[in-house]
Amino acid sequence: MGTATVAVECRGVRKTYDGSGQQVVALRGIDLDIHAGELMMLVGPSGCGKTTLISVIAGILDQDEGLCRVFGHDLLHMKDKDKLRFRAANIGFVFQTYNLLPSLTAAENVSIPMILNGISRQKAQRRAVEVLERVGLAERTGSLPSELSGGQQQRVAIARALVHGPKLIVCDEPTSALDHETGHRVMDLLKQVALDEDRALVIVTHDARIFEFADCIAQMDDGQVVKVVRSSGPS
Ligand SMILES: Nc1ncnc2c1ncn2[C@@H]1O[C@H](COP(=O)(O)OP(=O)(O)OP(=O)(O)O)[C@@H](O)[C@H]1O
Ligand SMILES: [Mg+2]
């Protein structure tokens, strides 16, 4: 290694929430590199800042201090319009709570990123159905989220995050509602679709059953990254 391209670069990233009169310091100076071609898992106790960190990385939340670059782009200082376009084209995000649009079917939900990128509705629908088949939902492409189980909704959210081939896929607990076999199937797909030299994948997880898929495990505690272990050796 050593020459690996950096997909995501965080330096001194700090974030404090100012909720209902109480300040919570969620990130206390994060330094982290995610290499292109790498599947990084982010682990750590509840409340340690995992969701906050991946939200900053994905440009969903602005940090208070520090630098975060995604494939060389500093999202914090981008104009809103450019940031939206960059995110739509390059980042897939699986929310801890799925965030599916309730009035759209599974296939329509999965079509959204493609439509945002200018692909025709018809073509998007076809491709959405293909990806839904790959996550085991061939029979449910026309169902609304409310008609799906938690694990099925989670798989729709995963299909939506990867359908447009984004350079960075960020997933918050993507296998929490899945049984062992379905979890492995989804991880196989994520790894296959997401990983080549131009892409990277970050997965927040408590699920030890999927650690085997990681190239790198970053451990957080109390707003900091305390340890990074790469399977290719220390770096
Ligand atoms: N919108 C918010 N307003 C105020 N505090 C928040 C907000 N979001 C998160 N926090 C706080 O920031 C800290 C980090 O939260 P975060 O959601 O990043 O943790 P997490 O590691 O993802 O936890 P979990 O494993 O439970 O999902 C926690 O103390 C949390 O209470
Ligand atoms: Mg979280």
Side-chain angles (χ1 to χ4, degrees):
M1 297 291 278
T3 55
T5 315
V6 177
V8 177
E9 186 185 5
C10 296
R11 292 289 176 275
V13 173
R14 304 180 68 88
K15 176 72 189 176
T16 301
Y17 289 106
D18 246 331
S20 39
Q22 196 193 3
Q23 288 205 331
V24 178
V25 182
L27 302 177
R28 306 173 182 271
I30 299 284
D31 295 319
L32 184 66
D33 283 345
I34 301 166
H35 299 166
E38 177 170 84
L39 191 167
M40 173 180 279
M41 288 192 187
L42 196 56
V43 302
S46 178
C48 73
K50 303 180 298 295
T51 297
T52 304
L53 176 58
I54 60 168
S55 302
V56 169
I57 289 173
I60 292 168
L61 184 71
D62 288 347
Q63 69 268 38
D64 302 323
E65 279 177 52
L67 171 84
C68 182
R69 282 208 198 98
V70 178
F71 291 99
H73 296 264
D74 175 0
L75 300 188
L76 183 67
H77 294 109
M78 253 185 213
K79 286 194 204 125
D80 283 351
K81 198 176 70 179
D82 296 337
K83 181 152 90 171
L84 280 175
R85 194 179 303 134
F86 180 84
R87 276 178 36 204
N90 297 297
I91 301 178
F93 199 95
V94 179
F95 292 88
Q96 202 163 5
T97 48
Y98 318 147
N99 287 19
L100 300 175
L101 294 179
S103 60
L104 300 185
T105 66
E108 288 165 348
N109 266 286
V110 175
S111 297
I112 294 170
M114 293 181 283
I115 289 169
L116 288 177
N117 283 290
I119 291 169
S120 75
R121 214 162 271 270
Q122 230 176 8
K123 201 168 161 195
Q125 173 82 14
R126 264 203 310 274
R127 168 95 180 114
V129 168
E130 271 170 33
V131 177
L132 284 168
E133 282 168 3
R134 294 181 68 182
V135 296
L137 292 175
E139 325 279 272
R140 307 309 300 272
T141 60
S143 301
L144 295 172
S146 59
E147 299 164 338
L148 298 172
S149 72
Q152 289 170 337
Q153 291 179 50
Q154 191 161 41
R155 281 179 281 157
V156 175
I158 290 162
R160 182 179 60 181
L162 59 77
V163 70
H164 54 311
K167 284 164 73 90
L168 176 66
I169 298 184
V170 182
C171 308
D172 207 347
E173 300 277 2
T175 59
S176 60
L178 304 180
D179 61 81
H180 183 79
E181 196 188 318
T182 313
H184 269 241
R185 185 168 169 179
V186 159
M187 287 305 303
D188 275 333
L189 177 65
L190 276 170
K191 203 151 179 171
Q192 200 182 325
V193 174
L195 288 187
D196 63 45
E197 284 166 21
D198 300 324
R199 301 176 195 276
L201 183 48
V202 188
I203 295 182
V204 170
T205 189
H206 288 103
D207 185 355
R209 301 172 306 176
I210 64 167
F211 287 170
E212 67 186 86
F213 290 91
D215 300 309
C216 174
I217 297 190
Q219 199 179 321
M220 284 185 72
D221 194 20
D222 192 21
Q224 288 182 304
V225 172
V226 292
K227 195 171 173 189
V228 177
V229 179
R230 285 201 157 80
S231 50
S232 54
S235 65

